[in-house]
Every structure is written in structure tokens, then in C-alpha cells.
Amino acid sequence: MPLDPAIAAVLDQANAVTSTPIRTTDPQVLREAQRQLSATTARTQPIDVGSVQDTVVPGPAGDIPVRIYRPADGGPVPTVVFFHGGGWITGDLDTHDLVTRRLCRDVRAVVVAVHYRRAPEHPCPAPYEDCLAATRHVADHIEQYGAQLDRLAVAGDSAGANLAAVIAQTFRDENRPLAAQLLAYPATDFDGTYPSRTENATGYMLTTENIADLQHLYAGDDPALRTSAQVSPLRAQSFAGLAPAIVATAQYDPLRDEGLAYAQALRNADVEVFVRNYDGLIHGFLNMFPLSPAADAAVTELCTQLTRRLTTTA
């Protein structure tokens, strides 16, 4: 299927700008570029929700910033802990504010967005440790959030989806309940070989060279770490007993095939999985719904699928 026209226009602008290698670029420069890109793709007024609160939760290296979105509805509701994308290096609570507002409104859930420590200043396992600490805190104090322990989910996009998948595995191993995991174009296998890495190597915002640089800055070059389940969730010894999953990939994404492989691994372990490869879309489409009707339809479907798993009677 051809590239979605609205996204093609964004790519034309992005591809006209000469980019520097991520590995040798000041991370603050990368972060500012991500913030500017997010502002460009937003182009809309904030989505109304009941309330938004910036606060902190305790973490292994100090307080972890979080942003709590509450729906207008009163009473107990599900809770979604969300981890932003950005290659473990960029992204923050603001770059994904529109996405988390959309989740709060459409899923009718309390959404806790987590701003974890980022590489290269804080490489693996710091982002994972912060996300795990925040999710444990929410689970242990669920009465302060959605107040339904059996309706707790994790969600994320890209690097955030990688972290969500690993947190889901950790919660399974700790016998902690988790109702769902929403993984949007997840990175699941650092050292695997997949056709989409070649097919979509350049021209679609995220490049194969970008991926290599980001993964190096996050987890270095030690094969033992890169192939551990904490970094590459597709390398886990078992997928049995994991929370029901919603896995979204994009046709023109170099990470497409490893996301599909993760969905298949879950399905092979009899985990309930909804998986969709969205034709015409690229990596990062979750943030592009204000610009692209195709991306908007994809986000609507993902919210519907998550709602279904968080409201089904146990």
C-alpha cells in the first residue's frame, strides 16, 4: 500500500533536513529536535480530560516524574501506566501529552505517564528500573489511581513499548496481576535480523542506522546484555502467562518484523493477542493522529482494543 499522503508530506520536510549521526550528537540537541517535531505534528488543541497533575513517585535513584491524567468520570476506573518512546534517549511527558490525553479520554482510564531516566547519561538498566519502580508503586497504591487492581495495564510506543513488554514479563514473574499490555511498534530484539530493517532502512523518519546508534547508547555492545530478556524481550525463555497483548506495527517501519515476531511468540504461548500491521503508516504514527486520518483510525482501534481488555468482566 502507498505511504499515507498526510504522513508523506511530513516525511518530505524531515528528509529535506540533513541529520547528524545520533551516536555523536549531543543528546540535548536530539531532545530539542524531538520536542520540535512533536509540536509540528500536534497542530491541535489539547484533548480535554478530567484533570492533569504533575507529580513524582519514588524510584531507585530518586523521585521519578510522572503525569497523572484522570477522566471526567467519577468512581473506580482502569489504570494505564504509559512509557514514552524516543529511543531511550529523547521523548518526555510533553512530547507524548496528546497521546496520553487520548488514552485517558478514549479508554476512560487513569493514565500515569512516566518520565524515566534516559541514555546515554543513564543507560540500561536505569530506564527499566524507573519504569518498574513506577509501575510497582501504582500497583501498590492503586486506590490513589484508578482503584481497580485487576484492571491495571502497561503501554508504550517504540522504546517505551520495549520497556512495557519487559515490565509485563517482570510482573508475570512476580505474580503481580496485569490486565493488558499495549505495545506500539516495539523494539523487541536488538541483535536479530529482519527483512524490514533492510526494506525500510532509510526515508521513513526512523532509519536502520538510527536504530543501531540508539541501541548502542542504551545497551552498549555486549551480546550478553543485548540478548537478555531485559533488553530484548523476544529472547525471553518463556512467554506463557503474560498479560493479553495489543501489538501495533507499521508497514514502513524498520522495527515492523520484530514487533510481528513478538506478537507471534506470544500467540504461540497461548497468550491472547490482537496484532495489526497498519498499512501506509510509519514508525511514530501514534503521535501523528492529528495530521493523518489513517493514523487517527489506527489510534482509535488501539484504544478500542485496550478498552475491551480493561472492561471485560473477569
Side-chain angles (χ1 to χ4, degrees):
M1 181 175 175
L3 189 66
D4 177 68
I7 289 177
V10 175
L11 281 179
D12 286 343
Q13 296 178 10
N15 292 335
V17 178
T18 301
S19 60
T20 56
I22 288 175
R23 195 178 301 210
T24 57
T25 301
D26 184 335
Q28 295 302 333
V29 172
L30 297 173
R31 289 162 188 159
E32 180 57 30
Q34 177 67 23
R35 284 191 286 268
Q36 292 180 8
L37 178 63
S38 297
T40 298
T41 56
R43 292 187 184 175
T44 188
Q45 294 298 316
I47 294 172
D48 287 335
V49 296
S51 66
V52 179
Q53 176 191 13
D54 285 334
T55 184
V56 296
V57 297
D63 288 339
I64 303 168
V66 298
R67 183 171 292 168
I68 305 170
Y69 303 81
R70 300 182 186 275
D73 304 11
V77 294
T79 303
V80 180
V81 184
F82 182 87
F83 313 121
H84 62 75
W88 305 274
I89 292 175
T90 69
D92 54 37
L93 299 178
D94 292 330
T95 61
H96 286 67
D97 182 69
L98 203 61
V99 173
T100 41
R101 285 174 177 270
R102 177 83 179 260
L103 281 172
C104 176
R105 184 195 68 184
D106 290 5
V107 181
R108 294 178 58 219
V110 171
V111 175
V112 183
V114 180
H115 186 42
Y116 49 86
R117 288 173 291 163
R118 297 169 296 180
E121 300 93 332
H122 304 285
C124 181
Y128 161 74
E129 290 175 344
D130 282 1
C131 292
L132 179 59
T135 311
R136 283 173 173 163
H137 177 84
V138 171
D140 291 342
H141 301 83
I142 198 67
E143 70 281 353
Q144 299 175 17
Y145 301 96
Q148 291 183 312
L149 182 57
D150 62 343
R151 294 291 177 264
L152 174 65
V154 291
D157 71 312
S158 191
N162 166 276
L163 293 165
V166 177
I167 297 303
Q169 292 184 6
T170 303
F171 262 47
R172 184 267 318 265
D173 296 341
E174 294 178 348
N175 294 315
R176 287 177 174 266
L178 202 62
Q181 51 180 320
L182 169 60
L183 313 176
Y185 32 88
T188 67
D189 188 5
F190 273 38
D191 286 350
T193 301
Y194 300 93
S196 60
R197 293 280 189 104
T198 301
E199 294 171 12
N200 302 320
T202 60
Y204 300 110
M205 201 82 76
L206 178 70
T207 69
T208 299
E209 181 183 3
N210 293 159
I211 294 170
D213 286 353
L214 293 166
Q215 293 181 342
H216 166 78
L217 293 173
Y218 176 56
D221 299 316
D222 181 0
L225 177 60
R226 292 172 64 91
T227 60
S228 68
Q230 189 179 97
V231 170
S232 296
L234 187 56
R235 303 293 183 112
Q237 292 185 351
S238 172
F239 303 96
L242 288 171
I246 302 153
V247 181
T249 59
Q251 180 182 2
Y252 296 105
D253 183 356
L255 295 181
R256 180 194 67 210
D257 291 344
E258 64 195 80
L260 294 175
Y262 194 69
Q264 188 60 52
L266 296 178
R267 185 169 285 161
N268 291 345
D270 293 326
V271 175
E272 179 192 338
V273 179
F274 170 87
V275 58
R276 181 84 76 210
N277 182 50
Y278 289 100
D279 289 340
L281 296 185
I282 66 172
H283 191 87
F285 70 76
L286 220 62
N287 290 81
M288 299 178 184
F289 70 83
L291 298 179
S292 162
D296 183 67
V299 173
T300 296
E301 181 172 55
L302 295 175
C303 287
T304 299
Q305 291 294 329
L306 182 57
T307 301
R308 185 173 301 166
R309 280 148 188 83
L310 293 178
T311 56
T312 301
T313 303

